[in-house]
Amino acid sequence: MIGLSISIGSGQNGGQRSENRSLTLSGLIDGAARPGSASGITAAFSDGFPIQSLSWGSTAGGAEFGTAASPQEFGSADTGLFDAPGLLHVTARAAGRSYSLSVPIRIAPPAFVTPPAFDAALYKVGEEVEVVLGTVDAAPATLTVASFTLDGEDRQSGLAGLVWSSAGETAWEREGLLRLQVRAETSGGVVLSEPVTARLGDVPRAFAAADWSVDETGVRIAALPDDGNAPITNIRYRIDGGPDQSRNGVTDFALSDYGEIQIRAVNALGIGAWSDTKTRIAQTPVLSIDAAPLLAEVAAVEGNLLTATPGPVSGGPSSRSWQWYRGAAAISGATGESYRLQPADIGKRIRVRQIETPGGGGSPVTRDSAASAAVVALNLRVEDNGDGTVGVGYADGARSTVEFVLTRPAAYAGSFALDLGALETGPVCLVRPALSGTPEPGATLSATPFLWVYPASLGALSVSAGWSRDGTMLPGESGTEHIVSAADIGTQLRYVETVTQSGVSVPVTAVSPAVTIGQGPAVLSDVSGQRNAAGQISVTLSTNQGEGRIFHVVTDGAAPSAAQIAAGTGADGTPLAAPYRGATPVTAAGTQILTISGLTEPIAARVYLVQKSGSGALSAPASTARIVSPAASGYDPQGSASAVAWWDASDEASITHVAGAVSRIADKIGDASLTGTGTTGVSARDVNGLNTVLLDGVGDYFQHSGTTLFPADGDWVLTIVASIDGVNHINDALVSAINGDNTLAIVGFNASQFTGRLAISGEAASFDGGPYDGLHVFQVKADLTGHATATAYVDGNPVAVLPYAAAVDATTLRLFRSYVMGGRFCEVFLDRDLSSQAAAFAYAASKWGIS
């Protein structure tokens, strides 16, 4: 309320002075009368003296707008008087005096330029709601909240300025509509804004059991839960408590997985709670064997093998088994896909039952084959003709293998497997005795006639004999003896028999084992030898005869004789153990290379050699110069006080394996054992005579985990002896240290060959000089406290250098693993002494024979 006071004059009434009396109006707005109504405007004297009469008009002293005897307030009957701009003149009379004042009349009401608003269209229950009152086109103006409701319920009392807290409110079971209306008041009038609204809501409720279901196709949505006053836009799901997955929609959706399913709804305010679980179970396949299994077309004869071909199966995966039947009775133990007919089967019909068991569980389904013909006895009959030929008879269609035992003559004695099926096409040579006699010119070679077995049903058998030289038949030679001539020297002689049978269209030929006719003792020359790897000697020599065997002994004692070398003894006749004795076959004259591995270090010995020809003649002995091992490097992990860990495949006692399948390699100086898989032993091959572990390049690798092996000061030397055999990915790793802030890796860095790349503590550098395959010594020298560099070496030569800013703290060390690399694990050791790098290489190179 604004009061306007104007002093008109002074006078007396009833002896009361009025020098300070003035007329005042209350109820004005901004010092002006509001258009459209005079209600609420009152007149009064400043000193409280009663007004005797009052008039008001549009002119000074006028009464156009009304008069009264003594009112102090313009009554409601005056509503609408001020309908035009101008001045309102008010005159009051008291004590014979008149007091007047005038104020402006304004008629323009305010209008909203910027409407009121909420600062968001949607609020979540519990959040603060902020409002903006807007602006009008008149000033000064008073803007106040006229109405603030939630679903029609007054919430204006909760406003703190222009902020309202929704804590304690809930949007369930109602529209959740916030409504705001603002009142603007100026001297020109009062207006209310248009109402504005926003929504108050929450995340969706959980799906009820009746709202959804699962079936073979996936999830079906029957109804959506209460959406929290914000439309549901998405459904999420998880299986067996696994990761939260989105379907980006609110309709049915397909699933390929099975298990415990849960779903929940999503709206603009967030994600609802998970539903209860529903189990989606794969339908059990309905198996069917669509055609009966078939028996192979083999005669039903005792000893023959019946083989089943399964009938086609539909309706899903299954596992197969078999059961054979003799008549209606199951044959005990006959559960394979083949069955050999037994004496107990004679006179019976045989069938097989195919059994298919569903892969997901359930009852098996079966189907039987047709029955065979009645089984007949083999009825094997043998007739020895006394001339090296034996006729046999048996039931038609017999194709089994029978044991054929001969006790005499001695040249034929033995047990033989006779395939009756092979006799269907003609005779079979069962025994071909070796030739006897000395394979030298002038001597006689003698042959024993071969033993032939033939089916008597195909007619009589006739045999013709002969000799061949290097595969060419010799004319005029038709007996069982041959006199060796000079023309036979250096050739191979064989005794040959050819048989014909009246019921067989093609003759059958057999030859004896070959005998090579020698020229006398061989001559060994150009003998040299060297130690080319740890525990290994290589010997090179030349021979003038390409037959027989070269015998060797390795000894540092007196020179043995030719006979002692061939017998594998020293000069004193004491037998030597392998590999200090051995023999190598000779197939061609010329240069021969013998590799002798597995010798004990250090080596200090000569290799003595002699060749024994096919005739049994011995060459003169030959020998190498004395061969010795190079001086040792002076370093080994066992004796190093600074060594941290050592895994050595050459020490088979440190390897845990069953039948060559490795599961553990022990740490020879600590307890940091490696676990993994690989193959060791003879079948895994050695390297220069030392045992290794073969890694297949598919799934084999070794690792130590749980503790970091690398020194905390960041200074260390890692030495790896390995053979790189297979690379199939750019990230195939020789070594990797992971699970830490700072890691280490040496990878192939090529999809098909090992070119090499060192990565350590966030830096990486490629190897020079690659690619590398086969056996090498790989080293990393990590110098943090000195030069802050890491250097990679191959066979003692630096191949990569990179900055090294943080110590490796990885807790898992892997060998031959990232993408899996194939090769052979030989030896690995870690030493904290930076000065050990060169000595460690020398030790490894000497031990494993790496130049």
Side-chain angles (χ1 to χ4, degrees), residues 529-539 552-556 576-582 594-608 624-629 650 686-691 846-849:
Q530 64 177 0
R531 178 191 176 279
N532 61 327
Q536 186 180 85
I537 290 175
S538 177
V539 179
H552 75 264
V553 296
V554 182
T555 178
D556 202 28
L576 300 176
Y580 293 88
R581 60 175 291 179
L594 284 66
T595 300
I596 305 169
S597 300
L599 302 172
T600 301
E601 291 286 346
I603 296 171
R606 298 175 186 268
V607 181
Y608 295 90
T624 68
R626 192 167 183 264
I627 302 170
V628 297
S629 301
S650 73
D686 61 10
V687 169
N688 296 336
L690 300 182
N691 185 72
S846 173
K847 176 176 179 179
W848 292 92

Side-chain angles (χ1 to χ4, degrees), residues 124-503:
K124 186 175 180 181
V125 171
E127 296 179 344
E128 288 189 340
V129 177
E130 296 187 31
V131 299
V132 179
L133 298 182
T135 61
V136 295
D137 61 355
T142 301
L143 278 73
T144 56
V145 174
S147 173
F148 182 76
T149 62
L150 172 61
D151 292 340
E153 296 179 5
D154 184 22
R155 292 293 186 270
Q156 188 168 349
S157 62
L159 278 170
L162 300 180
V163 178
W164 176 72
S165 173
S166 67
E169 297 288 348
T170 175
W172 302 124
E173 313 298 341
R174 64 171 73 201
E175 290 297 324
L177 186 68
L178 291 168
R179 185 179 183 275
L180 169 69
Q181 193 169 24
V182 173
R183 179 178 183 270
E185 183 175 1
T186 71
S187 59
V190 177
V191 295
L192 294 177
S193 69
E194 291 296 325
V196 294
T197 60
R199 297 183 68 83
L200 180 67
D202 210 338
V203 300
R205 288 196 180 193
F207 275 89
D211 293 342
W212 66 294
S213 61
V214 294
D215 60 18
E216 182 60 23
T217 63
V219 173
R220 295 191 174 275
I221 307 299
L224 295 176
D226 192 318
D227 63 5
N229 300 319
I232 294 173
T233 58
N234 192 12
I235 295 175
R236 305 183 73 85
Y237 75 97
R238 66 182 179 186
I239 301 175
D240 292 335
D244 189 348
Q245 304 180 67
S246 175
R247 296 308 302 181
N248 295 322
V250 292
T251 61
D252 301 348
F253 55 89
L255 286 178
S256 59
D257 296 323
Y258 299 91
E260 298 292 332
I261 314 295
Q262 291 176 284
I263 63 173
R264 57 180 176 176
V266 181
N267 65 10
L269 293 171
I271 305 175
W274 287 111
S275 68
D276 290 337
T277 60
K278 293 190 178 183
T279 304
R280 183 168 182 263
I281 302 174
Q283 293 183 350
T284 302
V286 179
L287 286 180
S288 172
I289 303 175
D290 299 328
L294 300 175
L295 297 182
E297 295 182 358
V298 176
V301 178
E302 173 195 2
N304 279 2
L305 184 69
L306 296 184
T307 300
T309 299
V313 179
S314 62
S318 63
S319 59
R320 177 175 299 132
S321 58
W322 301 92
Q323 177 61 59
W324 293 82
Y325 287 82
R326 180 185 298 123
I331 303 173
S332 177
T335 56
E337 65 180 8
S338 298
Y339 173 69
R340 191 169 298 281
L341 296 174
Q342 306 296 316
D345 300 325
I346 296 172
K348 306 293 185 181
R349 295 180 181 272
I350 305 299
R351 60 186 171 87
V352 68
R353 175 168 294 169
Q354 179 180 345
I355 306 167
E356 300 289 337
T357 301
S363 300
V365 295
T366 64
R367 192 158 181 175
D368 290 357
S369 70
S372 71
V375 178
V376 300
L378 174 62
N379 194 22
L380 180 67
R381 303 173 301 281
V382 180
E383 182 178 353
D384 184 358
N385 299 317
D387 59 356
T389 63
V390 176
V392 296
Y394 44 85
D396 290 344
R399 303 185 66 181
S400 59
T401 299
V402 298
E403 185 180 12
F404 204 80
V405 179
L406 299 174
T407 57
R408 58 184 177 81
Y412 300 153
S415 178
F416 309 95
L418 177 62
D419 181 2
L420 299 182
L423 291 177
E424 292 180 351
T425 58
V428 172
C429 185
L430 202 62
V431 183
R432 294 177 298 162
L435 302 180
S436 60
T438 303
E440 295 178 350
T444 299
L445 293 181
S446 299
T448 300
F450 298 163
L451 177 64
W452 292 90
V453 178
Y454 64 96
S457 61
L458 295 180
L461 192 75
S462 63
V463 181
S464 63
W467 290 82
S468 71
R469 177 191 298 136
D470 288 343
T472 300
M473 296 300 297
L474 298 178
E477 300 273 356
S478 58
T480 58
E481 293 185 344
H482 172 77
I483 298 175
V484 180
S485 67
D488 296 328
I489 295 174
T491 68
Q492 290 187 327
L493 293 178
R494 291 179 174 87
Y495 171 69
V496 181
E497 284 189 353
T498 299
V499 300
T500 58
Q501 192 174 8
S502 58

Side-chain angles (χ1 to χ4, degrees), residues 605-697:
R606 298 175 186 268
V607 181
Y608 295 90
L609 308 109
V610 69
Q611 182 172 350
K612 187 174 185 179
S613 65
S615 64
L618 294 175
S619 70
S623 68
T624 68
R626 192 167 183 264
I627 302 170
V628 297
S629 301
S633 68
Y635 173 91
D636 75 85
Q638 188 76 55
S640 172
S642 55
V644 176
W646 180 22
W647 305 283
D648 181 11
S650 73
D651 182 1
E652 293 189 66
S654 69
I655 301 174
T656 301
H657 68 93
V658 176
V662 178
S663 60
R664 180 178 180 272
I665 303 177
D667 179 358
K668 295 177 67 173
I669 58 175
D671 57 2
S673 62
L674 298 175
T675 59
T677 58
T679 307
T680 193
V682 174
S683 63
R685 297 172 294 169
D686 61 10
V687 169
N688 296 336
L690 300 182
N691 185 72
T692 69
V693 176
L694 180 65
L695 302 174
D696 61 7

